[in-house]
């Protein structure tokens, strides 16, 4: 549990610095220790959104909503992921 908290805090610090790839790595390490902690999934989803990785963000939010079906952050970030996927789809149609 101590290692989990340390990794999560390191991930949070990377987010504050705008180092989203590094934060993703830290949150992923957290998930190896605890797959039920929803905040690391919503935090990683935020990072994926910042990195324009909308499908990955959606998957993280879907996972959270299976555990907590009323998680507001997961709903909001999944909506942003869907919006990003729609924009990408429209841009690809124009090519």
């Amino acid at each position: 549990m101590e290692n989990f908290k340390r990794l999560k805090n390191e991930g949070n610090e990377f987010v504050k610095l705008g180092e989203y790839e590094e934060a993703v790595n830290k949150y992923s390490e957290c998930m190896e220790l605890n797959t039920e902690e929803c905040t690391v999934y919503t935090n990683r989803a935020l990072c994926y959104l910042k990195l324009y990785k909308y499908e990955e963000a959606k998957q993280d939010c879907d996972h959270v909503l299976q555990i907590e079906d009323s998680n507001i952050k997961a709903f909001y970030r999944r909506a942003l992921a869907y919006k990003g996927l729609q924009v990408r789809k429209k841009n690809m149609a124009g090519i």
Side-chain angles (χ1 to χ4, degrees), residues 13-86:
E13 287 303 313
F14 280 124
V15 168
K16 290 176 188 173
L17 297 171
E19 301 283 339
Y20 301 112
E21 286 285 352
E22 294 296 328
V24 164
N25 293 336
K26 294 297 178 183
Y27 294 138
S28 296
E29 288 181 55
C30 286
M31 291 167 194
E32 291 174 13
L33 301 173
N34 182 351
T35 59
E36 300 297 310
E37 177 62 44
C38 292
T39 56
V40 292
Y41 285 90
T42 55
N43 289 358
R44 189 171 76 167
L46 170 70
C47 296
Y48 282 142
L49 289 169
K50 296 287 189 180
L51 296 167
Y52 308 105
K53 295 182 177 182
Y54 302 115
E55 186 60 39
E56 292 89 339
K58 185 186 100 45
Q59 289 172 3
D60 278 355
C61 293
D62 287 343
H63 178 82
V64 170
L65 292 169
Q66 288 176 347
I67 298 168
E68 292 180 8
D69 62 359
S70 61
N71 187 298
I72 300 300
K73 280 187 181 180
F75 274 119
Y76 178 69
R77 291 180 180 160
R78 186 171 69 173
L80 292 176
Y82 276 124
K83 183 178 178 184
L85 288 167
Q86 290 300 320

